[in-house]
Amino acid sequence: MKNVVITGSTRGIGYGLAVEFLKKGCKVMISGRDQSKVDLLVSHLGEQFGKDKVVGLACEVSSAPALTALWQGAAAAFGQVDIWINNAGISIDRQPLHLQPAADLQRIVDTNLTAVLLANSIVLSGMLAQGSGQIWNMEGFGSNDATQPGMAAYGATKRAVTYLNKALQKEVKGTAVQVNTLSPGIVVTDLLLSDYDLKSEQWKKARKIFNILGDKVETVTPWLVEKILATDGSGAKVAWLTGGKAFRRFLTAGFNKRDLFADLPSAS
């Protein structure tokens, strides 16, 4: 099976993807900022799936040397890297741009855009040298031109990733390296919840939409991994929440009462 590296895989969607790849017999490199947390998860997953199946290394994704070390570590452990998923990302407080601190704006650009540029550069070089490989860059709110107040910075970084994918797909044409897009839709994670004051009116309105369009990690990630492993070609897009699916969910929302946040007392 495939050898997989996932940035930002100590929690949320990244961790869910890691587990599902391991279930499929793949080897996985876990990565996050905290080496102690990485080590803990590697030990836990190694007990479940085999110590030869999972390795881990802390990585600050906005650092080119750290990303290079992550690539080299995975290549040394696995022999080669077949799939690299740029999943790591952050959000900042949802508020008008002029109220967002400069440090937060710098941080979100560093993590959601600069890090993706650096990772693609390093991984493309490695995959071209080894003769094959797939890169999957993660979409998010703003990738399809959607806009909302308070989301200018986050949406701008994700819109830039859409451009990057299209440009890189032209650059790798004629090679055995593939650049593809992963779109998980609205998934209930700490990242999603961190955007809101869970006692606010804004959250009450958002919660209604999320309960229609959203899903939990364990629902989305098995499907995403199945589609990734079935993809052979550059320019592919694996999208969980399509326009058609969203339309059907709104049509049936009155009959399908979902509460994805029932186990979160602070979200009630």
Side-chain angles (χ1 to χ4, degrees), residues 197-215:
D197 172 358
L198 300 185
K199 297 296 184 182
S200 68
E201 287 300 316
Q202 184 187 45
W203 165 248
K204 290 178 182 178
K205 293 176 182 178
R207 178 173 176 164
K208 291 177 182 178
I209 299 298
F210 293 158
N211 275 324
I212 296 171
L213 297 180
D215 290 284

Side-chain angles (χ1 to χ4, degrees), residues 25-257:
C26 297
K27 293 182 178 180
V28 176
M29 169 72 89
I30 297 289
S31 179
R33 285 194 174 100
D34 185 341
Q35 186 65 55
S36 62
K37 187 169 185 179
V38 170
D39 292 341
L40 186 65
L41 291 176
V42 167
S43 176
H44 172 67
L45 293 172
E47 290 177 3
Q48 285 185 268
F49 300 103
K51 295 185 184 301
D52 62 324
K53 294 289 188 181
V54 56
V55 294
L57 185 65
C59 179
E60 171 50 65
V61 291
S62 62
S63 163
L67 286 164
T68 299
L70 186 62
W71 169 268
Q72 292 174 342
F78 300 148
Q80 72 172 39
V81 177
D82 301 308
I83 296 172
W84 179 290
I85 301 176
N86 285 311
N87 166 73
I90 64 169
S91 63
I92 58 178
D93 287 346
R94 184 180 293 233
Q95 56 183 341
L97 185 69
H98 71 279
L99 297 178
Q100 289 175 328
D104 285 353
L105 295 175
Q106 186 66 63
R107 188 165 55 92
I108 197 170
V109 171
D110 287 347
T111 304
N112 292 6
L113 181 54
T114 303
V116 178
L117 288 167
L118 292 171
N120 276 273
S121 175
I122 291 162
V123 175
L124 279 171
S125 179
M127 286 185 171
L128 288 167
Q130 72 182 14
S132 65
Q134 280 185 349
I135 298 173
W136 292 83
N137 292 317
M138 188 78 77
E139 278 194 345
F141 181 84
S143 291
N144 63 351
D145 283 338
T147 57
Q148 275 189 14
M151 294 291 286
Y154 181 90
T157 62
K158 287 301 181 178
R159 184 66 182 131
V161 171
T162 298
Y163 175 89
L164 176 65
N165 284 350
K166 291 178 179 179
L168 291 182
Q169 284 153 12
K170 291 185 176 182
E171 291 188 7
V172 301
K173 189 175 181 180
T175 76
V177 177
Q178 304 169 9
V179 176
N180 297 316
T181 303
L182 195 59
S183 181
I186 299 172
V187 184
V188 178
T189 63
D190 292 344
L191 183 67
L192 178 73
L193 294 175
S194 68
D195 285 346
Y196 293 92
D197 172 358
L198 300 185
K199 297 296 184 182
S200 68
E201 287 300 316
Q202 184 187 45
W203 165 248
K204 290 178 182 178
K205 293 176 182 178
R207 178 173 176 164
K208 291 177 182 178
I209 299 298
F210 293 158
N211 275 324
I212 296 171
L213 297 180
D215 290 284
K216 293 195 172 183
V217 170
E218 58 268 28
T219 301
V220 176
T221 51
W223 185 89
L224 293 176
V225 166
E226 183 112 8
K227 294 297 183 183
I228 291 170
L229 291 175
T231 297
D232 185 14
S234 192
K237 180 175 180 178
V238 169
W240 169 259
L241 184 62
T242 62
K245 183 182 285 186
F247 179 70
R248 290 191 296 273
R249 286 195 176 184
F250 274 116
L251 283 180
T252 60
F255 308 98
N256 185 15
K257 299 297 183 183

